[in-house]
Amino acid sequence: MNNKRRIHLYGWTVALLSLVELLAPTGAWSQSVPVRPKFEVASIKPSPGPCVETPALNRSVPGRLFLPCISLLRLVGMAYSQFDGLKYSSRGLRVLGGPDWVETAHYEIVAKPEGTAHIAEMAGPMLQVLLEERFRLRVHKEPRDTAVYELTVMDTRPKLSPLPSKACAPFDLDALVAGPGEANPDAPRQCPSFRTDTGGPGEPMVADCYGVTMAEFAGRTLRSFVDRPVIDRTGLNGRFEIHLEAMANPEPLSMAFMTANGIIAPPSSQSPPEVGAGPSVFEALKKIGLKLAPTRAPIDVIVIDYADRPSAN
């Protein structure tokens, strides 16, 4: 084949390939990156004056996220570990690293998506995008060897029975934040639901849990009673109704709540909490056929690799 014919055929081949590439769907040549949901408008500004940080979302509504006093440390814990889809995850993760101001600087955040979005969606994946854009946040998760309590079943049969499926309605954070309203008294309750009475000084804490899995009971409820994370090793399946009365961790309530929700690191103490006027959580659990034992286990944590002061609105 002479050179002129070879060049002529090469030119037709290049032209044909170019035409096929233009007409072919984008996904045929490269894998498309899923679009992450984000807010249409968002305001981030320092909280006016001193404020008391609260982790509650009860001032948010579907289609509007409002966090009046919150640190970046708490924002990271909320966005990356508090939610599993449209429900709360069974365990909040500790947040480590970052500059010194991530815990001391507090912000007021008002954000709205285009249209309406669930509160859990706004406080989860949409908040992640907002933090990565405005705080230039970079994080990763990694396991850390940690002192924990292991929740197991005693030799005797546990005094727990799974709830029938018809006794539970799907968890709906939007409805929970909105309040009871004119709820149908015959309608099934949301699962899971938690109610805690902290009592007074020296009095036991009372926890009523309805429709909880053992992972949720260990990771959410029991974490407020003790000084380290609790992991479920019971092997019990299903959802349960559990009433628990016990002396809580001797830390102030705010500290207990923050450690329970992964806002701050738990204390390094390896000993069980002191017993006050009521039964210890160890004794209370034995009454329902469960027990806690200290051990060590790898627990995921969130590490802040980089964060900067938020960009202007």
Side-chain angles (χ1 to χ4, degrees), residues 144-305:
R144 293 280 181 96
D145 184 64
T146 307
V148 301
Y149 285 118
E150 190 176 62
L151 180 67
T152 58
V153 175
M154 298 180 64
D155 295 335
T156 57
R157 185 177 179 84
K159 299 176 182 179
L160 297 170
S161 298
L163 290 171
S165 58
K166 64 181 180 181
C168 281
F171 182 82
D172 185 353
L173 178 60
D174 295 351
L176 187 67
V177 169
E182 297 181 3
N184 181 358
D186 299 323
R189 293 173 59 182
Q190 285 194 32
C191 293
S193 61
F194 305 88
R195 181 174 157 184
T196 303
D197 182 0
T198 58
E203 296 180 354
M205 180 185 293
V206 180
D208 285 296
C209 308
Y210 184 84
V212 294
T213 64
M214 283 293 103
E216 292 164 346
F217 179 62
R220 292 286 180 183
T221 302
L222 290 181
R223 186 63 186 90
S224 295
F225 284 85
V226 294
D227 61 345
R228 64 183 75 170
V230 182
I231 56 177
D232 171 39
R233 292 287 187 266
T234 62
L236 299 176
N237 298 316
R239 293 189 173 275
F240 303 86
E241 184 174 10
I242 303 174
H243 176 81
L244 187 69
E245 296 185 30
M247 297 303 295
N249 186 358
E251 301 171 337
L253 174 62
S254 59
M255 295 288 286
F257 187 89
M258 287 192 290
T259 53
N261 287 276
I263 302 169
I264 62 173
S268 59
S269 169
Q270 301 294 309
S271 61
E274 298 176 2
V275 178
S280 71
V281 68
F282 303 93
E283 296 168 336
L285 287 171
K286 287 180 181 178
K287 294 179 180 179
I288 57 176
L290 302 174
K291 64 180 180 180
L292 288 176
T295 186
R296 298 191 70 86
I299 297 289
D300 278 347
V301 299
I302 302 170
V303 180
I304 298 177
D305 299 310

Side-chain angles (χ1 to χ4, degrees), residues 84-113:
D84 178 10
L86 295 180
K87 63 180 182 178
Y88 283 113
S89 60
S90 61
R91 179 193 309 282
L93 305 183
R94 292 169 56 195
V95 180
L96 307 174
D100 54 6
W101 54 266
V102 298
E103 189 174 1
T104 58
H106 293 85
Y107 298 93
E108 178 183 285
I109 296 180
V110 182
K112 298 179 181 180

Side-chain angles (χ1 to χ4, degrees), residues 13 18 24 26 45 52 54 81 89 91 103 108 116 133 137 165 178 197 230 238 265 269 278 290 310:
T13 302
S18 299
T26 303
K45 58 185 179 181
V52 177
T54 59
S81 80
S89 60
R91 179 193 309 282
E103 189 174 1
E108 178 183 285
T116 301
E133 290 180 348
L137 179 72
S165 58
D197 182 0
V230 182
S269 169
L290 302 174

